[in-house]
Amino acid sequence: NAGVMQNPRHLVRRRGQEARLRCSPMKGHSHVYWYRQLPEEGLKFMVYLQKENIIDESGMPKERFSAEFPKEGPSILRIQQVVRGDSAAYFCASSPQGAKSTDTQYFGPGTRLTVL
Amino acid sequence: GNSVTQMEGPVTLSEEAFLTINCTYTATGYPSLFWYVQYPGEGLQLLLKATKADDKGSNKGFEATYRKETTSFHLEKGSVQVSDSAVYFCALISSGSARQLTFGSGTQLTVLP
């Protein structure tokens, strides 16, 4: 069973461009979470999605950031008009369908975004 | 709100030394507690977990006991190896939260041969 897949692993953007980060959860997993790790810091929750639904986006910046998890295909984290402060590692995690809220989340390898 | 406080790093040990990384927490409800490990350039891997008071999680020689009375979940290993060099994150998820993992700031461990 393949793990959580994220691509690209590394992404370089200039200020003002758009960044699209993709996450394919583990097979049989229907819950997806996005976290951001700023340099020298721990991970911070951004958003929790199920198929076609955003369940909790309390950690998402109010502007420029959006997330989706369509019926078909990977979950996408989209950052519009990137700024240098968006440079970070973005991690996706997933948990199985039917999982309890306190069950383990399984993490992907992350996408390291660098904004020039 | 929920919070996790981890022992400040970095920590440098010689091979076969005893390891303790302290972790304390504040949470609503009855949280599940986790230790994740991040090797250089990689994502987080679950190291161990405990879901209720007095549970002991263990894996690869690492152990941590869920202590409700002291709100702690300290990570220990009796004899570290060079391959244990990584960043260790303590985390919790509260039954009262909407599946948000709350992480500590991480502790960098370096084991020297």
Side-chain angles (χ1 to χ4, degrees):
Chain A
N1 188 7
V4 177
M5 310 279 285
Q6 288 188 251
N7 67 82
R9 294 291 305 274
H10 300 274
L11 181 62
V12 179
R13 286 286 179 266
R14 296 192 181 280
R15 281 179 297 169
Q17 292 184 318
E18 179 180 285
R20 280 182 176 246
L21 288 62
R22 295 174 186 78
C23 169
S24 296
M26 290 175 70
K27 188 176 181 180
H29 286 201
S30 60
H31 304 280
V32 166
Y33 317 84
W34 286 93
Y35 293 83
R36 177 165 65 174
Q37 183 180 31
L38 294 169
E40 309 298 326
E41 293 187 16
L43 281 74
K44 297 284 194 282
F45 170 82
M46 298 181 75
V47 63
Y48 159 44
L49 310 103
Q50 295 181 22
K51 285 284 187 182
E52 300 185 280
N53 283 300
I54 297 174
I55 308 301
D56 179 3
E57 57 181 348
S58 59
M60 287 276 271
K62 293 289 185 279
E63 297 178 350
R64 301 187 297 108
F65 284 72
S66 62
E68 63 177 7
F69 188 17
K71 187 176 179 182
E72 301 291 338
S75 175
I76 306 287
L77 179 68
R78 182 181 176 206
I79 312 172
Q80 295 177 290
Q81 299 177 315
V82 296
V83 302
R84 289 217 173 105
D86 297 332
S87 295
Y90 292 82
F91 289 97
C92 170
S94 70
S95 60
Q97 187 170 357
K100 299 192 298 292
S101 62
T102 52
D103 279 354
T104 301
Q105 296 178 16
Y106 296 87
F107 281 79
T111 294
R112 281 160 179 80
L113 172 66
T114 301
V115 179
L116 301 178
Chain B
N2 297 337
S3 67
V4 176
T5 302
Q6 254 182 268
M7 174 174 147
E8 293 281 331
V11 174
T12 302
L13 296 173
S14 297
E15 205 165 23
E16 299 184 4
F18 184 85
L19 169 70
T20 300
I21 301 178
N22 290 339
C23 171
T24 57
Y25 67 89
T26 303
T28 56
Y30 298 95
S32 292
L33 303 174
F34 305 83
W35 278 100
Y36 282 87
V37 57
Q38 185 179 30
Y39 297 102
E42 299 185 12
L44 276 71
Q45 301 175 24
L46 177 67
L47 182 60
L48 54 84
K49 64 185 274 192
T51 57
K52 61 183 187 296
D54 300 324
D55 268 2
K56 178 186 284 188
S58 61
N59 185 26
K60 300 181 182 179
F62 290 90
E63 293 184 340
T65 300
Y66 188 142
R67 302 283 188 202
K68 193 168 179 3
E69 64 276 12
T70 54
T71 61
S72 65
F73 193 54
H74 305 321
L75 183 68
E76 296 182 336
K77 186 174 185 182
S79 176
V80 293
Q81 306 299 313
V82 172
S83 57
D84 293 327
S85 298
V87 181
Y88 292 81
F89 291 96
C90 185
L92 70 83
I93 190 162
S94 172
S95 57
S97 72
R99 299 173 181 256
Q100 295 183 22
L101 270 167
T102 299
F103 284 89
S105 56
T107 301
Q108 171 76 56
L109 170 67
T110 301
V111 180
L112 302 175

